[in-house]
Amino acid sequence: MSHKAQFIEELNAKYASKGEYIILGKGMLDGEVVPEVNVTVPLKTINRHGLIAGATGTGKTKTLQVFAEQLSHAGIPSLVLDIKGDFSGIAAAGKENPAIKERYSKTHLPYNPQAFPVELMTISGERGVKLRATVTEFGPVLLSKILQLNETQQSIMSIIFKYCDDKGLPLIDLNDLKKVLQYVTENPDGKAELSADYGSIASSSLGAMLRSIVALEQQGAAKFFGELSFDVHDLLQTRDGKGVVNILRVADIQSKPQLFSTFMLSLFAEIYMTFPEEGDSGKPKLVLFIDEAHLIFDESSKALVSQIETMVKLIRSKGVGIYFITQIPGDVPEAVLSQLGLKIQNALRGFTAKDKKEITKAVDNYPTTEFYDAPALIQNLGIGEAFITALDEKGIPTPLVHTYLISPESRMDVLNDAEIAELTGKSSLVAKYDKIVDRDSAYEMLVRRMEHAAAEVPVNQNTKPRKEGQGLLEQILQSKAGRTFTGTLMREGAKAILGMLGLGRRRR
């Protein structure tokens, strides 16, 4: 049997799939495309996570675009965290050109230029679906991490949340949290109330926490915290049988790394807490793509990275796959890297001794192969080529294959302002989340309380007369705002499920 015939037989045996799958390209041997070898990934293993790596300019974004398109064809929605802002073109149809024509003639596959259903999303002020969460939904643990509080201050934050729960003070946005901290620091009634029920807390610690909140506001967090809270089930849309590609544009991540990395973990936790267990469903219900992943891990604390590692392990059971896109595999912590079943490696460049060490480490992560000189070839992969190893339907790693990737069917550049305006203008999700809900919460309640206390008049003259023996807490809990906390015990019970993460399920 010839070397080529052996290659075809072995690769087809390992990449053949009995169930549904996506195709990424064709196998290559000795620099030539072998159209008989389909490089496929079974849908049932997509939730086993993955990595797309490669040096700058080697085609990672186009590889991601192909991947997201193939998932959309299979009816699987995705969420793409678009750091560089160069992914929106997937919403428009591509155009055939000589390079694409040549590529598809080698793969023997049809080229069907088309647009894919897209939702643009934002956590800042850009056009798109505005993603928000309330302070209460974030919880004291995640909020303490985003504020970089020390252990003492984290304990105080937990007490503040408990105080607000007990007193019926909804924490919706950062103004609510600041007002509560000011109330228990500067107001005699507030200080006495906190001290009597929860013990004495140093004003200096509360002041330091206030300063941390102000610093977080400088990262634009004021736009993120509030209502209407984003419902993660809105990520699961399909249109005309295609999965919607949700694009979260976060080009300004480098100016707000704490907010972004903590938001990402909050999103993971919310998905884990609200999505049902999937078991062996045959295909994932959602795939998350995190571009420029090194920015997240570089800027996150060790505790936050540890929680991300844990969530990656847990979220798979919910039918969700997570894919990290970065320059070198070493950008991803070892504990996370070991959880990634699919690896797509575009070219690496060995210009320095450090680069060469990274290449050696990258090659060591792949199965050994008799068909390629992997350390040499990985530095000479062309644009639109990659090393790929996946998991077969039994969860066994497939052989390393030099892959000639298919081209995106959508446009390979960004939408212009007019196209973005048209896309967001007809989105029902944009309309749903565009209006800010400013209901009665801790800020308004405490301002009224302090104003009326200073004027020595009842807290609210329009309320019904106080019943005999009815205390302040009972009055608050019977108010409209107080009733929003009737689910507190359920939320605390849900938190206990992931107690090690300190995360709670959102109340809607």
Side-chain angles (χ1 to χ4, degrees), residues 235-269:
L235 296 173
L236 303 180
Q237 295 185 100
T238 59
R239 295 176 195 159
D240 300 324
K242 290 182 179 178
V244 171
V245 182
N246 302 283
I247 302 174
L248 175 56
R249 297 183 294 163
V250 283
D252 52 354
I253 179 181
Q254 297 192 52
S255 65
K256 52 185 72 173
Q258 291 172 276
L259 174 62
F260 179 73
S261 57
T262 312
F263 158 75
M264 186 187 71
L265 183 58
S266 174
L267 182 70
F268 289 178

Side-chain angles (χ1 to χ4, degrees), residues 46-62:
I46 296 290
N47 68 329
R48 298 293 293 273
H49 312 318
L51 173 75
I52 300 174
T56 300
T58 57
K60 295 191 299 298
T61 300
K62 300 303 174 280

